[in-house]
Amino acid sequence: VISNHAKTTAAASAKLLLADMQAGEGKMDAAIKTLQDFIATNTEHAARPTASAKLAANLMGEGKAAEASAIFQNLVSDPKARYIAPYALICLGDIAKVGGDPAKAESYFNQVKTEFAESSFASIAAERLASVKTKPPVEVDPPAQAPEPQKANTEQKSAEPAATQPATNKKPESTPAKSEKKDNKAKN
């Protein structure tokens, strides 16, 4: 479609799909190039702000925060991109937070909450605000392990003779024998 119908809206839209496919296959450089080409050649296309947001997100994912920030800033200031501005502000806040500027990140998140309060991005901004000043937990060394208890040597114990009492057929003396009972009855 792109080559056969080069000057059509369908060809331009197909480029966006191609960029998505390239990114999905892990070909980020190709996806970035396709999006840059789309943005440069389709200044009036309705999906241009979306393509710019995708490009900035891809650049952000590739660690190119400065380039991504510039594109997101342009989206925030473009009246045609108002529908995607909250997303751009969230991303700018994320970039600022990762860059070590929590005050700037907080500013972007607050802007989403105030200017786009009805947007679903407002709740995302509130969640991000809650985590902006959060510091990671301090790592501590684990407590020293207690020494393992000494195990008894079972081989040694089994080699020792067991102390046993000699077996007897004697009954305890406290109980009288039957024959004694008969004798006691006869005496009575």
Short mmCIF file of all heavy atoms in Angstrom, two decimals, residues 15 32-45 48 51-52 55:
data_model
loop_
_atom_site.label_atom_id
_atom_site.label_comp_id
_atom_site.label_asym_id
_atom_site.label_seq_id
_atom_site.Cartn_x
_atom_site.Cartn_y
_atom_site.Cartn_z
N LYS A 15 2.02 3.48 6.96
CA LYS A 15 3.34 3.70 7.57
C LYS A 15 3.27 3.59 9.10
O LYS A 15 4.18 3.07 9.73
CB LYS A 15 3.91 5.07 7.18
CG LYS A 15 4.59 5.08 5.85
CD LYS A 15 5.32 6.40 5.65
CE LYS A 15 6.03 6.36 4.31
NZ LYS A 15 6.77 7.59 4.05
N ILE A 32 11.63 3.83 14.47
CA ILE A 32 11.90 5.26 14.68
C ILE A 32 12.05 5.96 13.34
O ILE A 32 11.49 7.04 13.12
CB ILE A 32 13.14 5.44 15.58
CG1 ILE A 32 12.79 5.02 17.02
CG2 ILE A 32 13.67 6.87 15.52
CD1 ILE A 32 13.98 4.92 17.96
N LYS A 33 12.79 5.36 12.42
CA LYS A 33 13.00 5.95 11.09
C LYS A 33 11.66 6.07 10.34
O LYS A 33 11.39 7.11 9.72
CB LYS A 33 13.97 5.07 10.28
CG LYS A 33 14.17 5.47 8.85
CD LYS A 33 15.27 6.50 8.70
CE LYS A 33 15.57 6.79 7.25
NZ LYS A 33 14.78 7.85 6.68
N THR A 34 10.83 5.05 10.41
CA THR A 34 9.52 5.09 9.74
C THR A 34 8.65 6.20 10.31
O THR A 34 8.00 6.95 9.56
CB THR A 34 8.82 3.72 9.86
OG1 THR A 34 9.65 2.71 9.28
CG2 THR A 34 7.47 3.71 9.17
N LEU A 35 8.64 6.34 11.63
CA LEU A 35 7.84 7.40 12.26
C LEU A 35 8.38 8.79 11.90
O LEU A 35 7.60 9.71 11.63
CB LEU A 35 7.80 7.20 13.77
CG LEU A 35 6.94 6.03 14.24
CD1 LEU A 35 7.20 5.72 15.71
CD2 LEU A 35 5.46 6.31 14.00
N GLN A 36 9.69 8.94 11.92
CA GLN A 36 10.29 10.23 11.54
C GLN A 36 9.92 10.59 10.11
O GLN A 36 9.59 11.76 9.82
CB GLN A 36 11.81 10.18 11.71
CG GLN A 36 12.25 10.18 13.15
CD GLN A 36 13.74 9.90 13.33
OE1 GLN A 36 14.36 9.22 12.52
NE2 GLN A 36 14.30 10.41 14.42
N ASP A 37 9.94 9.61 9.22
CA ASP A 37 9.57 9.84 7.82
C ASP A 37 8.10 10.23 7.72
O ASP A 37 7.74 11.16 6.99
CB ASP A 37 9.87 8.58 7.01
CG ASP A 37 9.56 8.76 5.53
OD1 ASP A 37 10.01 9.77 4.94
OD2 ASP A 37 8.84 7.90 4.97
N PHE A 38 7.25 9.54 8.44
CA PHE A 38 5.82 9.84 8.43
C PHE A 38 5.58 11.28 8.89
O PHE A 38 4.84 12.03 8.25
CB PHE A 38 5.06 8.87 9.34
CG PHE A 38 3.62 9.24 9.52
CD1 PHE A 38 2.66 8.83 8.62
CD2 PHE A 38 3.22 10.04 10.59
CE1 PHE A 38 1.33 9.19 8.78
CE2 PHE A 38 1.90 10.41 10.76
CZ PHE A 38 0.95 9.99 9.85
N ILE A 39 6.21 11.67 9.99
CA ILE A 39 6.00 13.01 10.56
C ILE A 39 6.51 14.09 9.60
O ILE A 39 5.85 15.12 9.41
CB ILE A 39 6.69 13.11 11.94
CG1 ILE A 39 5.95 12.19 12.94
CG2 ILE A 39 6.72 14.54 12.45
CD1 ILE A 39 6.73 11.90 14.21
N ALA A 40 7.64 13.83 8.97
CA ALA A 40 8.23 14.81 8.04
C ALA A 40 7.40 15.00 6.78
O ALA A 40 7.31 16.11 6.25
CB ALA A 40 9.65 14.39 7.69
N THR A 41 6.78 13.95 6.31
CA THR A 41 6.07 14.02 5.02
C THR A 41 4.56 14.19 5.14
O THR A 41 3.89 14.40 4.13
CB THR A 41 6.35 12.76 4.17
OG1 THR A 41 5.96 11.61 4.91
CG2 THR A 41 7.82 12.68 3.80
N ASN A 42 4.02 14.11 6.34
CA ASN A 42 2.56 14.18 6.51
C ASN A 42 2.18 15.22 7.56
O ASN A 42 1.60 14.90 8.60
CB ASN A 42 2.01 12.81 6.91
CG ASN A 42 2.22 11.78 5.84
OD1 ASN A 42 1.53 11.78 4.83
ND2 ASN A 42 3.20 10.91 6.04
N THR A 43 2.46 16.46 7.23
CA THR A 43 2.25 17.54 8.20
C THR A 43 0.79 17.77 8.56
O THR A 43 0.49 18.26 9.65
CB THR A 43 2.86 18.85 7.68
OG1 THR A 43 2.28 19.15 6.41
CG2 THR A 43 4.37 18.73 7.56
N GLU A 44 -0.12 17.40 7.70
CA GLU A 44 -1.54 17.63 7.95
C GLU A 44 -2.34 16.36 8.27
O GLU A 44 -3.55 16.42 8.42
CB GLU A 44 -2.18 18.33 6.73
CG GLU A 44 -1.61 19.72 6.45
CD GLU A 44 -1.73 20.67 7.63
OE1 GLU A 44 -2.81 20.73 8.27
OE2 GLU A 44 -0.74 21.37 7.93
N HIS A 45 -1.69 15.24 8.37
CA HIS A 45 -2.38 13.97 8.64
C HIS A 45 -2.95 14.01 10.06
O HIS A 45 -2.30 14.48 11.01
CB HIS A 45 -1.41 12.80 8.48
CG HIS A 45 -2.09 11.47 8.38
ND1 HIS A 45 -2.62 10.81 9.46
CD2 HIS A 45 -2.33 10.67 7.30
CE1 HIS A 45 -3.14 9.67 9.07
NE2 HIS A 45 -2.98 9.56 7.75
N ARG A 48 -0.86 12.56 12.94
CA ARG A 48 0.50 13.08 13.17
C ARG A 48 0.82 13.21 14.67
O ARG A 48 1.90 12.81 15.09
CB ARG A 48 0.68 14.41 12.44
CG ARG A 48 2.12 14.88 12.46
CD ARG A 48 2.29 16.06 11.47
NE ARG A 48 3.69 16.33 11.23
CZ ARG A 48 4.37 17.27 11.86
NH1 ARG A 48 3.79 18.03 12.76
NH2 ARG A 48 5.65 17.46 11.57
N ALA A 51 1.54 9.80 15.97
CA ALA A 51 2.83 9.33 15.48
C ALA A 51 3.97 9.99 16.25
O ALA A 51 4.97 9.34 16.59
CB ALA A 51 2.97 9.62 13.98
N SER A 52 3.82 11.27 16.56
CA SER A 52 4.84 11.97 17.34
C SER A 52 4.96 11.39 18.74
O SER A 52 6.07 11.21 19.26
CB SER A 52 4.51 13.46 17.43
OG SER A 52 4.58 14.06 16.15
N LEU A 55 6.73 8.09 18.44
CA LEU A 55 8.15 8.34 18.21
C LEU A 55 8.85 8.71 19.52
O LEU A 55 9.90 8.16 19.85
CB LEU A 55 8.35 9.44 17.16
CG LEU A 55 9.79 9.90 16.93
CD1 LEU A 55 10.67 8.74 16.46
CD2 LEU A 55 9.82 11.06 15.94
#
